[in-house]
Amino acid sequence: MFKINEYFEGKVASIAFQTSNLPATVGVMAIGSYKFGTTQKEVMTVVSGDLTVKLEGDSEWVNYQAGESFTITANSSFEVKVMVETAYLCTYE
Amino acid sequence: MFKINEYFEGKVASIAFQTSNLPATVGVMAIGSYKFGTTQKEVMTVVSGDLTVKLEGDSEWVNYQAGESFTITANSSFEVKVMVETAYLCTYE
């Protein structure tokens, strides 16, 4: 019923669904470092754990805890360091 | 890498992971009604959408929105009505 996605040899897994107004995914990232590209604007919210993130064009790494969000513009990318298995919500606009 | 679980012919799907201190899942429920049993104490948090819940032994249905949590005791059960595709976090104690 739901589309399950796996990336980086399964170190990132997500479930795609539809919120009341936006397509979204919930997923989990294993400990590690990853780089993601975007085709749409994405809003990432940490659900459990934390993510240290560097957006394309930025020089700073910023840490986001559970409940905190960050936005990635369309056709861009972001790098992320994961120090504990982290769950996230991503909405696509 | 992550264990993916599907229930009710795929209408509920979840990804199992380990938080800094507890086993957990993040998952999505399709529109519908479900009954879940527990073997451990569970704390369910709505991440996106909402759940209308009746705990075993209760007569009342209670609605939980994004960010709200409810607790189910071990060896119990709960019924849930889902009116919009809803993402949740569940921790097991």
Side-chain angles (χ1 to χ4, degrees):
Chain A
M1 163 119 196
F2 293 111
K3 186 163 185 311
I4 313 279
N5 301 299
E6 294 195 270
Y7 311 93
F8 302 103
E9 293 120 26
K11 289 179 185 164
V12 177
S14 69
I15 305 171
F17 71 104
Q18 179 69 30
T19 74
S20 53
N21 60 338
L22 291 172
T25 55
V26 279
V28 181
M29 297 190 195
I31 294 169
S33 297
Y34 312 99
K35 184 170 185 176
F36 296 93
T38 63
T39 53
Q40 298 170 273
K41 172 183 168 184
E42 296 181 16
V43 177
M44 289 275 289
T45 302
V46 177
V47 169
S48 168
D50 66 89
L51 299 176
T52 305
V53 176
K54 186 157 79 75
L55 299 177
E56 183 180 299
D58 282 10
S59 53
E60 254 186 38
W61 289 86
V62 179
N63 182 264
Y64 295 91
Q65 305 278 318
E68 297 180 327
S69 300
F70 58 97
T71 300
I72 313 99
T73 52
N75 305 307
S76 176
S77 67
F78 65 102
E79 294 174 71
V80 61
K81 293 178 190 170
V82 186
M83 264 71 90
V84 62
E85 287 188 0
T86 293
Y88 65 89
L89 168 72
C90 183
T91 56
Y92 303 85
E93 299 178 25
Chain B
M1 165 115 196
F2 293 111
K3 188 163 184 308
I4 312 276
N5 301 298
E6 293 194 89
Y7 310 94
F8 303 102
E9 292 122 25
K11 289 181 184 162
V12 177
S14 68
I15 304 170
F17 71 105
Q18 180 68 31
T19 73
S20 54
N21 59 337
L22 291 171
T25 56
V26 277
V28 181
M29 298 190 195
I31 293 169
S33 297
Y34 312 99
K35 183 171 185 176
F36 296 92
T38 64
T39 53
Q40 298 170 272
K41 172 183 169 182
E42 295 182 16
V43 177
M44 288 278 288
T45 302
V46 177
V47 169
S48 169
D50 66 89
L51 299 176
T52 305
V53 177
K54 186 156 82 74
L55 299 177
E56 182 180 298
D58 282 10
S59 53
E60 256 186 39
W61 289 86
V62 180
N63 183 265
Y64 295 92
Q65 305 278 318
E68 297 180 328
S69 299
F70 58 97
T71 299
I72 313 100
T73 52
N75 305 309
S76 176
S77 67
F78 65 103
E79 295 175 68
V80 60
K81 293 178 188 170
V82 186
M83 264 71 91
V84 61
E85 288 190 0
T86 294
Y88 66 89
L89 169 72
C90 184
T91 56
Y92 304 84
E93 299 179 27

